[in-house]
Amino acid sequence: MNTAVRFPSASLSSSSSVFFSNFPRNSVSMETIIPANLNLIGKGKPSHFSTISASNDRHGSPRESTFRGGESFFRNILATMENVYLNKNPTAKSILDLVRSVDDDRICYDHFAFRSFGVDGHGIDSMAKLFVDFGYVQREELRFPAKKLKAFWFSPPNIPHSGDGTGVNGPLPRIFISELLVDQMSSEAQKIIRKYTKLSGNGNMHASVASALGCLTWEKPAYTEFQQLARESEYAAWTLVNGYTVNHVTISAHRLKSHLQKIGNLNQFIEENGFKLNSEGGVLKVSPDGLLLQSSTVADSASFQFAEGITESIPCSYIEFAERLVLPEFKDLPENKVEEFHRRDGFEVGNADKIFESTSIDQLTRKSV
């Protein structure tokens, strides 16, 4: 049967079929630290580096990072993750088709993003292992104290490509993995999260398999426990029912060939075609240096049957757009000479903090302008 959730907060609509409450939206500065041992996430002696061109050396040349393993095998893994994501999120599929239809354009992905529980080995490490094994390199740590989150991003290894590939067959995407700092949650929330991660057993060792299959590594959760988590953390509740599935993929706007390569044009095009964009902090999220521009849709929703047999609508995933501008030291390069490593790299806490809100109740229940 279908039921409607009633949150104690008076700000939530009683008719809403979406069950997430929002975090405080405080922004913080990004820590610029790389662990010395790239295979031990979050461990080792820290060293500092530029947040703007993190994957480049001081001359602008990309740092060496060797791809390890079978390329077709790795791209097939990405493709299965992408297929699960697209099958669960019709908005993303529609937008990708729509963008491709303009001048028969090709899509390049800026990054894939994943969420996780930072407890008992089920956090960032569990999902990152696949990418590190194939040559990805861990970069900055980002902290979100108000949301009780941390994240790392990973730069892809260098693989020569013809420039004709599209989607997962194009340039390899960056990877962004976040985790909920479970120890900072209430004792009630911790009890629920630890219950399900314990039920997962060694499921954390197979996070990438779960993502590719689109299934949870723990048992189907109880609706009452989902509600309890949702009242405290939108992120926790989302992860409980979506697990390691792709949280979002991001279109690299500046790599498009049409007029949509300017993210302002892309945003306008998306809205004119009836899709709702995340308005938290403004539709366009701009880094302090003005070189990283991001926007995203509001997450799709889908029916989910909980352990008690109750079927309800839950937020799924969304699609993001990013434009990375040319770094000041390369502003005089001819446009046809500009490569990705000449552009702003990395991520920005302020932007990411607002992008997280794409799965929030405020955004999902907001009426389109």
Side-chain angles (χ1 to χ4, degrees), residues 72 89 98 105 111 137 166 197 211 220 232 241 317 337 342:
S72 60
N89 301 280
L98 191 63
D105 216 334
H111 64 273
V137 177
T166 184
T197 54
S211 182
K220 187 179 294 185
E232 184 172 340
V241 292
S317 303
K337 298 294 184 181
H342 293 128

Side-chain angles (χ1 to χ4, degrees), residues 34 38 49 53-56 62-68 74 110-112 128 130-140 152-159 171-177 324 340-341 345-347:
I34 299 180
L38 297 176
F49 69 107
S53 53
S55 63
N56 307 337
R63 290 178 178 174
E64 289 300 322
S65 177
T66 305
F67 186 81
R68 299 188 292 267
F74 179 74
D110 181 90
H111 64 273
F112 277 30
L130 167 74
F131 300 101
V132 172
D133 282 350
F134 280 91
Y136 274 74
V137 177
Q138 181 183 312
R139 300 302 185 187
E140 297 116 317
F152 279 101
W153 74 276
F154 300 78
S155 59
N158 295 318
I159 299 180
L172 290 177
R174 299 166 183 83
I175 299 298
F176 183 95
I177 310 174
R324 297 178 181 273
E340 189 71 5
F341 65 82
D345 208 348
F347 293 80

Side-chain angles (χ1 to χ4, degrees), residues 7-24:
F7 275 17
S9 171
S11 66
L12 301 185
S13 169
S14 61
S15 62
S16 171
S17 62
V18 184
F19 317 114
F20 290 105
S21 57
N22 288 322
F23 291 104

Side-chain angles (χ1 to χ4, degrees), residues 2 21 59 94 104 135 151 162 170 297 310 328 357 362-363 368:
N2 289 322
S21 57
H59 301 294
S94 296
D104 196 27
S162 64
T297 64
I310 297 171
E357 297 296 326
D362 280 358
Q363 292 300 314
S368 300

Side-chain angles (χ1 to χ4, degrees), residues 111-131:
H111 64 273
F112 277 30
F114 304 87
R115 294 181 177 185
S116 67
F117 287 133
V119 62
D120 300 332
H122 286 78
I124 293 169
D125 303 53
S126 60
M127 196 68 217
K129 186 180 186 304
L130 167 74
F131 300 101

